[in-house]
Amino acid sequence: MNNKHQFSYSLDGQNYLECGDSFQEGSRDWKGSRVGLYSYNTKEEGGSAWFDSFEYKFDGPGGLVTEE
């Protein structure tokens, strides 16, 4: 079994760039990567983030599933 994971992103939905290094997870209790968008503020409490779009494609067991 190939246990390598790689995050990527795209600005146009066609061309994808790797985000960070690939990694392996050896824990038998690991349930997979979790996806999220957030704002992290190091200057003061609070903050906001606005995103124009977010698309999540899961190609795990059962095949590719897209929510539209």
Side-chain angles (χ1 to χ4, degrees), residues 1-67:
M1 176 190 333
N2 182 356
N3 190 16
K4 287 202 164 221
H5 308 277
Q6 176 68 56
F7 294 113
S8 61
Y9 70 96
S10 172
L11 299 176
D12 62 8
Q14 299 294 318
N15 300 295
Y16 287 83
L17 302 169
E18 292 180 353
C19 183
D21 296 327
S22 64
F23 62 96
Q24 284 188 294
E25 177 52 56
S27 171
R28 296 177 62 107
D29 296 325
W30 194 59
K31 302 300 184 209
S33 302
R34 302 296 190 258
V35 178
L37 301 174
Y38 61 91
S39 169
Y40 185 79
N41 188 346
T42 61
K43 304 284 185 196
E44 58 190 41
E45 289 188 25
S48 317
W50 290 270
F51 303 95
D52 291 327
S53 65
F54 178 75
E55 181 177 352
Y56 175 63
K57 293 183 178 181
F58 174 73
D59 64 349
L64 182 63
V65 176
T66 59
E67 296 292 327

